[in-house]
Structures are given as structure tokens and as C-alpha cells.
Amino acid sequence: MFTGIVTRGEVARLKQSRGVLEIEVHAPGVARALEPGDSVSVGGVCLTARRVRRKRFVVEATNESVARSTLGLLAKHAAVNLELPLRAGDRLGGHIVQGHVDATARLRLVEPDGDSKRMWFSPPAGVLRYMVPKGSVAVDGVSLTVVDASEQDFEVMIIPHTLETTTLGTLAPGDDVNVEVDVMAKYAEKLMPATPPRPR
């Protein structure tokens, strides 16, 4: 489990082999904290560290993970958002993020708002039903607050710190991102009765 408070690393190498995408990431701070078999969020996708060196680590993404995310669009030297899993006693600075991407969304519009930026993303309609104003969403692994949501897109505000320390600051209209909705919304939907009870 993660919280959406990320650091940034760089893709050092990509290798496709037998239905698996191998991604080597240069991130000294993250690599020092990892052991083989540990979970790590890469671009919002929960993956397992297969090999770890002093400044780099290697993860593998299956065809399923690649198909449901933007991992297949990565290139050498690309920046990626990274996060180590939450430990007992850690601060929950963002919101509960599982690293299970629900869909990809396309950045439709970017507008400056002082030193911040407003961004509108267009995901599949099935994802938008979980979006509510002031609710939470993870975009490329970054915990954000939904400003507004419509039937076509959702809006978020990216503050200067997030623009500087994550990959969101380099996004341009037309770029695709990984989106994970708040898991609490899914549980709420599951627990709601399919039809209202009949009056007695």
C-alpha cells in the first residue's frame, strides 16, 4: 500500500523478453531502501523489485500491467514517479493508493493558475463515476484532490512543489497518464444494494 507522496527516478534501461517488460530505474535513495522481492510503485503501478544494486533496481511488468498502464510508453532516460510502500507508523500524507491502475487518461487541457497549474484529464467513463469534488485520485502515482468532475473529464490543481518534484510538471496536452481512483469509492459502490428496498 502507498500514499501517493512520491520521489522521482530515471529509466536507465528497458528490455522486452518473453512477455515481460524489464525496467531498470536509477534512483539511489529508493534503491538503498529496497531488497529483492520488495514492492515499489513505478509511475503509479505496484511492481516487485527483482534485482537491486546500490543506485539502481530492476522491476518486471507483465503484459497485463503494460496493457492497463503507460509503462509500455516509457523510454530510456524518461523520468518516473517512485514510492516505497507504507510502513506501520508512517504518516499517511496523501491517501490510500494500492498501485492497481484502473485506466489511463489523456491530458486534455492545462491552464496556469498563478504558480500552480490546472489540468483536465479524460479517462474512460467507467472511471469518472468514482470522481467527486474534493475526493482523491492518483495520477501517475501522485495523490491529488479532485477539483471537479464531469461526464467527460476531471480537474485537478497541481501546486508548485508537485510540479517541481514529480513528472506532472512536464506533462503536455495529449499525454497519457495512469489513473487510480479512491478504493473507498469502489467499496462503497459494492456495498450499496443493487435495487432500493421495496416499501412494506
Side-chain angles (χ1 to χ4, degrees), residues 86-190:
L86 183 69
R87 297 176 298 181
D90 284 351
R91 291 182 177 181
L92 186 59
H95 72 283
I96 295 174
V97 179
Q98 296 180 298
H100 302 161
V101 172
D102 291 295
T104 60
R106 182 151 294 175
L107 178 56
R108 184 179 65 80
L109 180 65
V110 179
E111 288 187 354
D113 190 319
D115 291 333
S116 302
K117 289 184 179 180
R118 292 180 179 269
M119 295 185 179
W120 285 261
F121 294 94
S122 298
V127 172
L128 283 167
R129 73 174 184 266
Y130 298 110
M131 305 281 186
V132 294
K134 309 306 178 187
S136 296
V137 63
V139 175
D140 276 351
V142 182
S143 176
L144 299 172
T145 299
V146 177
V147 174
D148 200 5
S150 69
E151 294 182 355
Q152 289 79 36
D153 55 25
F154 68 92
E155 176 191 352
V156 292
M157 174 80 79
I158 315 296
I159 62 174
H161 176 77
T162 304
L163 291 171
E164 294 170 5
T165 60
T166 75
T167 62
L168 301 187
T170 63
L171 291 177
D175 288 344
D176 290 330
V177 296
N178 296 320
V179 172
E180 180 185 334
V181 301
D182 191 342
V183 68
M184 301 303 290
K186 295 181 185 179
Y187 282 126
E189 180 184 62
K190 183 72 173 179

Side-chain angles (χ1 to χ4, degrees), residues 10-17 20-26 42 47 51 56-61 66 70-80:
E10 181 180 295
V11 175
R13 184 176 61 87
L14 294 162
K15 180 182 178 182
Q16 185 77 45
S17 176
V20 172
L21 176 63
E22 189 174 274
I23 308 167
E24 184 171 354
V25 180
H26 178 83
V42 179
L47 300 172
R51 298 189 299 278
R56 298 182 178 187
F57 63 91
V58 175
V59 293
E60 292 179 340
V66 171
T70 62
L71 292 178
L73 302 177
L74 290 177
K76 188 176 180 180
H77 302 307
V80 286

